[in-house]
């Protein structure tokens, strides 16, 4: 039968995972079959996608990409890799969304922010001390290269305004609204929906403080607009933005983006 | 009229601009869809609401 092993299609007479490992002369450290890691032997079927990874062995550059994708469900990964997602604003939401989508294997990311990393960002944003003073776009691009060097990352260190939105975001499947300021959120949403028909936007509203995690939800509010958050907890004096709820909200946004990339429009 | 999923009786001729103002929305923080189409902010004053309309108004709070 034909199966794919560590990214290469092969013809094999092996009937089980254990037979295959013995044939390959590999230790069964990590065995992943069709996106699922298993420690038990199982029967192989035609078209199976199998990874056998030995711990502590640095793979060849050619094998690295396919091994990194081993835990993704095969068809899911192919669609994510072909997708283009733009992230507007690289603060607590945007920096976390970008890293999560990079880990998910979204093939092309556009990162847009005008600002630089400063100390008060580090309570919730995905940056480190050694990024202080760098543009957020540059700091995030460096991190993504270390997480998944196969992602195409484009950066634009500019302020997003009504006038540059069509040029910045045309051609992207989904735009993530990840700003802090509510007027900026509304401006981006209105402009994308008015001027870029067909582009979907996943926005956020209400994730400050430490109210229940379970108040944060994803809703489809308009035809091409999804909003994640609790819709109430604004950042204000006495109710600051904190990493847990900001990351939960970023996770909601990233998962909605992934669902949209897979053609699922329900929340 | 259907407003954010709920049936609402329109008591008089009212523009979209008057409606969102009377419902205490901050115009700079909202997006509006009328019968499935986004309404540009510059048109709010010109659009008169009708009983058969389906109106969705989303409003954003700060933080990110």
């Amino acid at each position: 039968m034909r199966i794919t092993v560590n990214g290469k299609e092969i013809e094999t007479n092996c009937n089980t995972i254990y037979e295959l490992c013995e044939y390959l002369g590999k230790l069964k450290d990590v065995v992943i079959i069709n996106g699922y890691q298993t420690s038990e032997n199982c029967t192989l079927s035609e078209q199976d996608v199998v990874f056998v990874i030995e711990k502590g062995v640095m793979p060849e550059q050619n094998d690295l990409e396919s091994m990194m994708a081993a835990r993704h469900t095969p068809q899911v990964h192919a669609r994510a890799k072909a997708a283009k997602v733009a992230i507007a604003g690289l603060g607590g939401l945007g920096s976390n969304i970008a890293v999560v989508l990079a880990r998910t294997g979204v093939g092309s990311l556009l990162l847009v922010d005008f600002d630089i990393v400063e100390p008060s960002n580090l309570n919730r944003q995905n940056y480190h001390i050694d990024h202080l003073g760098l543009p957020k776009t540059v700091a995030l691009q460096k991190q993504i290269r270390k997480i998944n060097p196969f992602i195409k990352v484009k950066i634009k260190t500019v302020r997003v305004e009504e006038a540059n939105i069509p040029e910045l975001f045309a051609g992207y499947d989904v735009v993530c609204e990840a700003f802090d300021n509510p007027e900026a959120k509304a401006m981006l949403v209105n402009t994308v929906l008015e001027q870029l028909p067909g582009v979907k936007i996943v926005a956020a509203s209400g994730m400050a403080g430490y109210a229940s995690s379970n108040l944060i939800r994803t809703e489809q509010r308009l035809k091409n607009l999804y909003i994640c958050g609790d819709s109430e907890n604004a950042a204000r004096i006495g109710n600051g933005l904190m990493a847990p709820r900001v990351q939960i909200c970023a996770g909601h946004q990233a998962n909605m983006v992934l669902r949209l990339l897979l053609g699922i429009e329900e929340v | 009229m259907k407003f954010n999923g709920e049936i609402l009786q329109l008591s008089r001729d009212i523009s979209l601009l008057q409606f969102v103002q009377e419902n205490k929305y901050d115009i700079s923080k909202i997006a509006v869809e009328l019968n499935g189409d986004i309404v540009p902010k510059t048109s709010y004053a010109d659009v008169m609401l009708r009983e058969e309309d389906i109106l969705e108004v989303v409003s954003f709070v700060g933080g990110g």
Side-chain angles (χ1 to χ4, degrees), chain A residues 152-223:
Chain A
K152 290 184 201 125
V153 180
K154 259 174 84 171
I155 61 173
K156 297 271 182 185
T157 310
V158 297
R159 195 183 278 274
V160 176
E161 287 164 341
E162 225 174 297
N164 62 12
I165 285 173
E167 185 191 326
L168 281 170
F169 301 120
Y172 284 84
D173 301 306
V174 184
V175 174
C176 289
E177 178 282 309
F179 294 145
D180 187 45
N181 174 294
E183 285 90 357
K185 287 171 181 285
M187 181 276 294
L188 176 65
V189 164
N190 277 289
T191 312
V192 168
L193 295 181
E194 280 170 38
Q195 300 197 29
L196 295 171
V199 174
K200 297 202 177 331
I201 180 158
V202 179
S205 181
M207 78 300 296
Y210 47 87
S212 170
S213 310
N214 293 342
L215 297 173
I216 293 176
R217 12 187 305 118
T218 303
E219 289 184 300
Q220 182 177 10
R221 288 298 313 274
L222 307 180
K223 193 168 51 191

Side-chain angles (χ1 to χ4, degrees), chain A residues 92-93 124 179-180 182-183 185-186 189-190 193-194 203-207 221-223 225 227 231-232 234-235 241, chain B residues 4 25-42 44 56-64:
Chain A
L93 297 170
R124 68 191 189 284
F179 294 145
D180 187 45
E183 285 90 357
K185 287 171 181 285
V189 164
N190 277 289
L193 295 181
E194 280 170 38
S205 181
M207 78 300 296
R221 288 298 313 274
L222 307 180
K223 193 168 51 191
L225 172 68
I227 303 182
S231 76
E232 281 178 11
L241 291 159
Chain B
N4 286 355
Y25 283 106
D26 179 339
I27 291 188
S28 64
K29 299 177 187 169
I30 62 172
V32 175
E33 200 173 71
L34 187 63
N35 305 319
D37 294 317
I38 189 83
V39 185
K41 289 220 164 127
T42 48
Y44 286 7
E56 289 287 335
V57 180
V58 300
S59 180
F60 291 93
V61 302

